[in-house]
Amino acid sequence: MQDSRRATPRTDHVLADPRLAEAVGVLGIGIVKRAVTLALQRCRADELDPGAVADWAWESLPAAATSMRRVINATGVVVHTNLGRAPLSQAAVDAIQIAAGATDVEMDLESGRRSRRGEAALAALAAAVPSAGGVHVVNNGAAALALVTCALAMGRNIIVARGEMVEIGDGFRLPELIESIGATLREVGTTNRVRLADYESAIDDDTAYVLKVHPSNFLVSGFTSSVAVSELATLPVPVVADIGSGLLGPHPRLPDEPSASAWLDAGADLVTASGDKLLGGPQCGLMLGEASLVDRLRRHPFARAVRVDKLTLAALEATLIGPPPPVSTSLTVTAAQLHARATRICAALDGIGAAVVDSAAAVGGGGAPGVELPSAALAVPASLAHALRVGDPPVVGRVERGRLLLDLIAVAPADDALIVEAIHRAIHATKSSA
Ligand SMILES: *Cc1c(COP(=O)(O)O)cnc(C)c1O
């Protein structure tokens, strides 16, 4: 019997392969060595010919030095938290590429002097919401709430309706965040009902502001009442309003979702929101409102701890001034357009047991709970779900009534062909492993 060990090449010999040597320069030695180690293990186990070790290692290398994979979101959830919320527009991706090196994020190149950080991104945000006297951007929605708590309510109290004490997801609770900063929450009303008088009687000398939180991920129905921002604005303390989703203006398809403009016009002194929900931009926290208030927040020492990075500023500006980002497109596409795409995909799969079905897609990611977006999906056997998820690129759908639905609402039309290929490969993989 042949001793395969003797035939196994040495690691340094494999690494000397010109393709692998070049890959070290692109991906780093760690990733390339790991691929070579795996290939050598296979060779020792007689699963790989000694002459094929370098080929196999090279083919198994990732495209970039990240283990994150690009995923096709066929879940029918437009803003999917576990898939990274809003996918960026190409314009935002290009902007990030430019800002990645040395960039004039804080320099006026004309005078050579220091300038306001991210001035153009802030100007684009201000232009998009004319009712805001001032704007500021921090790392995420939670950071925006933390900053406003820290700057305005440390050691004081904040009045909030009991029905608006929200848990966002993954155990993150807004009340706990606020109290961890050092403010006291004064809950008013009951789970289902609150009146203006409840707020009124809770106000005292230590009240920093009234906080209005949009219940962005649940619905309360039945015997309910809440107090509108316009009514809260009649109280003798400021109104801080957390809209969550990042809609800057009203959206015709989401009539019950509050927007920054609507709540500012209704009298909120400050609105906070996330940049990577319905705005469709990078993860960030938007703060919009009364100019002197926003200035106080911006100048507070804690602002530095939640300062947004240059890549985010670049992507935010491009999201605001560039073509509509994918989230906006998903919110405007019609069910008929999605049906036409699903039908073409189905035809390209001829004879493979896929069917075009109606689908009820969702906004997801802390926005418009209960709203169903009419969509179209391909229904394929649920047994393909795993193979599609671990394929290249991974395709993630949702299992409904025993079938796997691949909903097209959040899939870029350019990816339709990839879905056809992915289904073909998944069927093949499932057959050969059966
Ligand atoms: C999502 C959300 C937050 C938190 O925003 P992040 O950007 O995830 O930090 C806060 N408030 C509401 C109402 C939300 O929906």
Side-chain angles (χ1 to χ4, degrees):
M1 239 217 253
Q2 189 201 336
D3 183 0
S4 64
R5 232 165 258 260
R6 197 171 303 156
T8 304
R10 280 172 43 178
T11 304
D12 53 346
H13 284 181
V14 182
L15 282 169
D17 178 281
R19 294 165 303 172
L20 293 175
E22 193 188 326
V24 169
V26 178
L27 300 172
I29 184 70
I31 289 174
V32 180
K33 240 188 181 159
R34 209 173 310 134
V36 170
T37 305
L38 272 177
L40 290 172
Q41 274 168 9
R42 299 201 63 184
C43 182
R44 279 187 210 103
D46 272 340
E47 292 165 9
L48 197 62
D49 199 63
V53 166
D55 290 343
W56 190 90
W58 188 71
E59 275 160 23
S60 73
L61 288 175
T66 172
S67 54
M68 276 200 214
R69 312 274 307 276
R70 151 178 141 77
V71 171
I72 295 183
N73 173 11
T75 59
V77 177
V78 173
V79 179
H80 197 298
T81 303
N82 304 138
L83 296 179
R85 286 198 186 158
L88 295 180
S89 65
Q90 188 55 49
V93 172
D94 294 345
I96 285 178
Q97 182 108 34
I98 288 168
T103 185
D104 58 343
V105 65
E106 246 177 73
M107 182 187 272
D108 172 30
L109 293 174
E110 185 62 37
S111 65
R113 283 183 218 277
R114 181 185 193 137
S115 66
R116 179 154 173 209
R117 185 179 171 83
E119 190 144 37
L122 295 169
L125 182 59
V129 187
S131 340
V135 298
H136 185 57
V137 181
V138 293
N139 278 337
N140 57 19
L145 280 167
L147 177 56
V148 64
T149 308
C150 190
L152 306 181
M154 186 87 88
R156 306 183 68 196
N157 68 63
I158 298 169
I159 300 175
V160 65
R162 189 160 277 126
E164 295 176 12
M165 305 276 280
V166 175
E167 174 170 320
I168 301 303
D170 199 23
F172 171 64
R173 296 175 169 165
L174 292 190
E176 289 176 358
L177 168 84
I178 290 166
E179 294 194 312
S180 75
I181 303 278
T184 306
L185 278 176
R186 187 160 289 176
E187 296 172 46
V188 294
T190 59
T191 310
N192 55 327
R193 287 177 75 87
V194 63
R195 297 179 193 81
L196 185 64
D198 296 322
Y199 286 92
E200 219 157 16
S201 57
I203 293 174
D204 64 21
D205 290 345
D206 282 333
T207 300
Y209 52 81
V210 162
L211 178 65
K212 171 89 180 164
V213 181
H214 174 50
S216 59
N217 55 3
F218 65 100
L219 289 173
V220 195
S221 62
F223 186 55
T224 64
S225 72
S226 61
V227 182
V229 170
S230 55
E231 291 176 78
L232 294 177
T234 63
L235 296 170
V237 292
V239 177
V240 173
D242 177 18
I243 60 168
S245 82
L247 269 192
L248 299 183
H251 196 287
R253 251 180 129 171
L254 308 171
D256 296 327
E257 196 64 17
S259 69
S261 315
W263 276 12
L264 286 171
D265 290 341
D269 296 273
L270 186 80
V271 166
T272 66
S274 293
D276 56 343
K277 291 179 180 171
L278 293 182
L279 179 61
Q283 177 190 302
C284 58
L286 312 176
M287 310 183 82
L288 309 105
E290 208 261 307
S292 64
L293 193 58
V294 174
D295 226 42
R296 260 176 81 188
L297 299 171
R298 193 166 63 83
R299 292 174 192 283
H300 191 278
F302 187 65
R304 178 59 185 239
V306 291
R307 185 174 87 158
V308 72
D309 80 311
K310 60 179 180 172
L311 303 181
T312 304
L313 288 165
L316 177 63
E317 182 187 4
T319 302
L320 290 165
I321 67 172
V327 168
S328 305
T329 311
S330 297
L331 290 180
T332 48
V333 70
T334 65
Q337 288 167 318
L338 296 171
H339 261 276
R341 282 171 54 196
T343 304
R344 278 197 296 275
I345 293 176
C346 209
L349 285 167
D350 54 0
I352 290 186
V356 177
V357 296
D358 290 336
S359 170
V363 169
V371 171
E372 286 189 354
L373 303 167
S375 179
L378 288 145
V380 297
S383 54
L384 298 182
H386 179 262
L388 282 166
R389 235 172 25 242
V390 300
D392 184 23
V395 178
V396 183
R398 71 172 191 277
V399 174
E400 212 173 271
R401 279 181 272 141
R403 298 171 308 181
L404 177 68
L405 298 192
L406 301 177
D407 189 309
L408 295 182
I409 198 164
V411 176
D415 289 345
D416 287 359
L418 294 179
I419 290 192
V420 174
E421 288 168 25
I423 293 174
H424 276 303
R425 271 198 308 270
I427 287 169
H428 189 74
T430 318
K431 271 202 188 118
S432 51
S433 72

